[in-house]
Amino acid sequence: MRPTTPPEFAGKLAAMAKRLTLKDILQGKPLGHPLHPLLVHLPTALWPAALVFDVISFARKDGDISLTLATWWCLLVGLVAAAAAVPAGIADWTSIHRERPAWKIGLIHAGLNTAVMGLVIANFILRCIRGPAEPSVTVAQLTLSIISVLLLLPSGYLGGLMVYDQGIGVARTSKDYWRRIARAGGARV
Amino acid sequence: MPKSLVRRILEGKPLRQPLHTMLVHFPIGLFVVSLVMDVASYFGAGDYALFRGSLYTLCAGVAMGLIAAVPGFVDWTDIRRDNPAKGIGQWHMGLNLLVLLVYGISIIARFSMTDPRRVGLPLIFTSLAAIGLLSVSGYLGGMMVYDDGIGVGRHRRRAPAPSRTIALPSTSAEEGWVPIPGAEHMEDGQTLRLDVGGVIIGLARVGTAYYAFQDFCTHRHGPLSEGCFMGDQVMCPWHGSRFDLRTGHVTHGPAKKDINIYEVRNLNGEVSVRIPEAKVPTTARRDSARSGTEEREWKVEPEDITSPTTEQAPRAE
Ligand code: FES
């Protein structure tokens, strides 16, 4: 959110609070920053990190339970953030016009993420059954980690394309700020 | 490898999105999970494995943070000097380096613990403070993308974005034509951002033609001088609106209104633009009135104005 003068900011907040819908909150409008890209940092980082820990643990086979434990926590924290990111992502997606390419990209992104979520939940349950701190990963767990990351990477890439190629969420809250600058610069707005 | 290629790769242009924003997931996620593990080990029975696990995630986070700093810095050098994001970027960079420093010290402290079973409250609060700083810094990074569009649509352009806005007084104009110093040396696809007596315009060279246009898109006012030029059209970097550079008409949404365009002439290599008096913001107009500039009908010879090229066809959908 662009800084404005304090009274203007207070007025904006008051006006916003009156008409704030659930969708606005999910889109991060009160925060002045889209919520979905903020939340997805955690699963995007932690699930590949979990895979790295798994691979090291599998390759070394020396029974370092701190690696399997780190994986367990990475999966868990990632799942919590991902669960929160789902409604935020859906709210952002419903604002995209159907004829824009981003609509379809968003659909594929959502589909891939659903698959990844399912795999990670399965992976996590497997680990909980055996206990979080096992001396080494099983082949089944490692396979689940690998497949989920293989699906997660293209999905994250598509999410990035929506922002950096299609501009989804860009200048959503700052457009008034830029309009003022444009008008002062003699532009048609 | 040529320097420009290294730069293109560090900016993530072949991937159509910045490298920095892909890499920063890792320090953010890993630092958060490390704090969670620290808290768990604090309330737990004192678990050596949990302590080690948290240390592993911290080390990985710092390593990834250092890697992410490189493309991040390259991205920052690309931002126009008068863009608010330039200053935000400085804070973002400073805070991130501070966070990495704090975690570096925390790692050293952890390695030198005599009874490495459980982290004490001082280290937990250090992590908490670092996460606080990281949140502020991350928010600033998000502002640069979602408020100022840094990195958005940048890959569609080969030429670098203008590094500053060149201020030119319109009052020095001869017959309303303002000469643009250095414009004759512009390369194909290069753009300048000009402030001519308060009017912000973009000047682009496409092939042999020059175009001058208002620098703000009519959709959410993205910088057209950082856009992509295709024949006689410009595509806004932010959401892809397209405008005809000869008429200013919108040729592709989401923008609905046309942009202002300005006359350009190229007299034996001296490129000038003309801003109609009515378009100059009132303060600038008053100044020129005081200096006694009078309006006059000015006729441009057809050969003075470069013809728009038609070599490059607009890119298909
Ligand atoms: S700001 Fe130009 S297309 Fe949205």
Side-chain angles (χ1 to χ4, degrees), chain B residues 191-211:
Chain B
T191 46
L192 296 178
R193 191 177 192 262
L194 310 166
D195 173 345
V196 184
V199 183
I200 309 292
I201 67 172
L203 181 79
R205 178 171 183 164
V206 187
T208 53
Y210 286 89
Y211 298 103

Side-chain angles (χ1 to χ4, degrees), chain A residues 1-2 31 33 37 41 45-46 64 66 69 73 100 157 160-161 164-165 167 170-171 174 178-179 185 188-189, chain B residues 15-17 21 25 29 49-50 56 88 139 142-143 146-148 153 155-156 200 214 220-221 238-239 257:
Chain A
M1 189 182 292
R2 287 255 74 100
L31 188 64
H33 186 304
H41 281 307
L46 295 179
D64 183 354
S66 44
L69 202 55
W73 281 99
R100 297 206 60 194
Y157 177 75
L161 277 190
Y164 297 101
D165 197 49
V170 173
S174 65
W178 284 109
R179 180 181 301 122
R188 194 143 147 204
V189 290
Chain B
L15 287 171
R16 297 200 283 158
Q17 47 184 283
T21 51
H25 294 303
L50 208 49
Y56 291 158
I88 298 175
Y139 186 87
M143 268 176 87
Y146 295 103
D147 284 354
D148 303 329
H155 53 275
R156 282 192 283 263
I200 309 292
Q214 79 174 41
R220 290 184 191 164
H221 323 295
W238 287 0
H239 316 92
K257 282 188 212 156

